[in-house]
Amino acid sequence: MTPITGIIITLDEAENIADCITSLRPVCDEIIVVDSGSRDDTVAIAEREGASVIHQPYLGDGPQKAFAVPRARNDWILALDADERLEEDAVAAIRALALEDPDKAYRFKRRNFAGHHWIRAAGFYPDPVTRLYNRTTSGYLPKKAHSSVQAPQVLDTGGHIRHFTYRDLSHWIIRIDQLSSRDAWAMKQRGKGPSRYRPTWHALSALLRKLILKGGLFQGADGMTVAVTTAFHAYMKYAKLNELHERERADHSVPD
C-alpha cells in the first residue's frame, strides 16, 4: 500500500483526538497533529497515541491545514478534523486505491451527527469532502475559513467520514458562537468591510436556501433545525464582523 501521512489540526480536542488517530492508523504510516495552543490534554494524548505534534498558533483554516504538509514524509496526504473518523468503508476504499496518479484527489461522503442523531436534512448529507490528495499537485486553498482541497481531478471513493459535529443542540449553539467569531475574524483579515444590511440579507438568504432549495421545509424537525441554525450562523458572523470594525474604530478614536 502506498504510504500516506494523516494530518489533524487541533485546539482543545482531548475528548476527540485519540479516536481520530485510531481511525487513521489502518491507512496512515505517519500521523501529524498541528496544535494551536490547546489548554487541555490534547497534545499529551496525541503523543501517547503515536502522533507527531507540531505547535503552531492558528493561521486560519486553510493555512493551518497546509502547515504540516511540507514536514510530512509522504506525498499522499489524508486530512481529518479532530471530530471526524474514517468509517470502515472509507478505510476499505483507501486500501483499494493504487494512488499512482498525483493529479487525482479523492472525495468522501460525510455523515454529520448531533449527539447520536445523524442529521441528513437540508444538505447535511452526503456533504462531500475531498480529503486524500497528493501534495505535489494539490492542497488546501489559503482561505482562513471554510477552506477546501484544490486538485486537478477529484474522484469519489464512496466511503464515509463520520463527523461528530455537535454533542447536542446546546453544543450546536456554542459552536455557532465559536465558528461565527472565527468567520468574522477571517473576513476582516481579508479586508471585508462592515455593512448594516449584510447580517439580515445573508440570514434570510441562508434560511430560504435551506428551506426551499435544500428541501428542509419538507424534512421535518431536522430540516427546520438546519435551516434556522444556518441562518443564525450567517447573521452572527456578519454582525460580529461589524462589531470588529466598531471596536477598531473605537480603539483608534481613543486619545493618547
Side-chain angles (χ1 to χ4, degrees):
M1 180 177 166
T2 303
I4 299 171
T5 295
I7 294 178
I8 311 163
I9 65 171
T10 57
L11 174 64
D12 295 334
E13 293 286 358
E15 67 183 67
N16 285 317
I17 190 61
D19 288 342
C20 184
I21 291 171
T22 297
S23 83
L24 284 171
R25 199 174 289 125
V27 293
C28 296
D29 70 331
E30 177 187 42
I31 299 173
I32 300 175
V33 169
V34 183
D35 188 77
S36 55
S38 291
R39 292 158 293 183
D40 61 10
D41 293 331
T42 298
V43 170
I45 294 169
E47 291 175 338
R48 186 188 70 206
E49 294 295 323
S52 300
V53 177
I54 298 173
H55 300 274
Q56 172 58 47
Y58 191 61
L59 301 168
D61 188 47
Q64 193 77 1
K65 288 176 176 175
F67 184 79
V69 171
R71 296 159 176 79
R73 290 198 303 259
N74 307 309
D75 285 338
W76 284 97
I77 305 297
L78 178 56
L80 282 190
D81 291 337
D83 57 0
E84 295 176 337
R85 317 281 182 264
L86 292 180
E87 294 194 13
E88 290 184 5
D89 62 353
V91 170
I94 293 167
R95 284 176 166 169
L97 294 172
L99 297 182
E100 294 174 343
D101 186 349
D103 284 345
K104 293 178 180 177
Y106 295 92
R107 183 164 48 213
F108 302 84
K109 299 174 184 177
R110 188 163 60 171
R111 304 185 210 260
N112 295 291
F113 282 77
H116 298 291
H117 183 54
W118 175 17
I119 306 289
R120 311 181 208 192
F124 261 44
Y125 182 80
D127 190 21
V129 287
T130 303
R131 294 302 179 79
L132 177 60
Y133 63 93
N134 191 295
R135 66 180 175 185
T136 65
T137 62
S138 311
Y140 274 92
L141 294 168
K143 293 174 61 178
K144 292 184 180 294
H146 308 294
S147 185
S148 58
V149 172
Q150 185 175 52
Q153 183 180 6
V154 178
L155 302 178
D156 285 311
T157 65
H160 287 83
I161 291 173
R162 183 165 295 209
H163 186 201
F164 293 102
T165 324
Y166 312 111
R167 291 190 298 270
D168 50 34
L169 291 175
S170 294
H171 184 233
W172 199 328
I173 300 303
I174 292 169
R175 288 293 290 158
I176 288 173
D177 183 37
Q178 295 169 339
L179 293 174
S180 60
S181 294
R182 184 201 68 180
D183 293 345
W185 169 81
M187 288 191 291
K188 189 171 185 300
Q189 287 288 304
R190 65 174 186 263
K192 198 167 194 67
S195 168
R196 69 175 68 180
Y197 304 110
R198 278 200 206 106
T200 300
W201 166 250
H202 282 276
L204 289 174
S205 176
L207 185 66
L208 291 173
R209 184 174 68 253
K210 290 296 185 180
L211 285 178
I212 307 302
L213 296 181
K214 296 295 184 179
L217 187 63
F218 311 103
Q219 295 171 327
D222 283 353
M224 184 58 69
T225 299
V226 171
V228 170
T229 54
T230 302
F232 180 51
H233 185 167
Y235 183 88
M236 291 306 297
K237 71 180 181 181
Y238 285 100
K240 288 181 179 183
L241 174 64
N242 290 346
E243 187 176 60
L244 289 175
H245 283 285
E246 289 170 2
R247 288 175 183 169
E248 185 175 62
R249 290 194 299 270
D251 290 343
H252 288 164
S253 66
V254 174
D256 294 333

